[in-house]
Amino acid sequence: MKFLAVCSTGLGSSFMVHMNIEKVLKELGVSGVAVDHADLGSVSAGDADVIFVGSDLAEAASGLGDVVVLDSIIDLNELKQKVRDTAVRKDLTIGDN
């Protein structure tokens, strides 16, 4: 299973979301998920099982498959909820944490 955080340049915001996804997965006790980040221009459909993007890129990323849109890339509570929802939707085991 691969989660990919995507922004327009593949640098600052996608790296921050990448690190926060890893943190949330650890808190949830979810294992077996590789997390990475990239710029929108280098991502193709099938590059990841789930792609996380900010709302500014929602339309541009819509053809990439399973896209989770973050209303705010700095809202950790929103990210926790959306990662948890995604883990449940993908039948990933959530630990007791």
Side-chain angles (χ1 to χ4, degrees):
M1 181 70 51
K2 182 176 181 181
F3 289 0
L4 188 62
V6 174
C7 70
S8 57
T9 63
L11 299 171
S13 58
S14 63
F15 182 64
M16 179 189 69
V17 173
H18 166 178
M19 299 303 289
N20 286 335
I21 290 171
E22 287 182 333
K23 179 180 175 183
V24 170
L25 289 171
K26 186 175 181 178
E27 288 174 8
L28 294 174
V30 174
S31 60
V33 178
V35 183
D36 203 354
H37 62 280
D39 66 283
L40 182 62
S42 68
V43 178
S44 300
D47 284 354
D49 297 290
V50 182
I51 295 173
F52 290 80
V53 298
S55 59
D56 60 322
L57 297 181
E59 188 174 332
S62 64
L64 296 176
D66 190 346
V67 176
V68 174
V69 177
L70 302 171
D71 296 319
S72 170
I73 62 168
I74 60 172
D75 183 346
L76 201 52
N77 289 324
E78 178 192 5
L79 183 64
K80 285 179 185 178
Q81 187 60 53
K82 290 190 173 177
V83 169
R84 176 185 284 279
D85 293 348
T86 300
V88 168
R89 187 165 42 82
K90 293 293 188 179
D91 292 324
L92 300 173
T93 301
I94 296 178
D96 296 330
N97 300 5

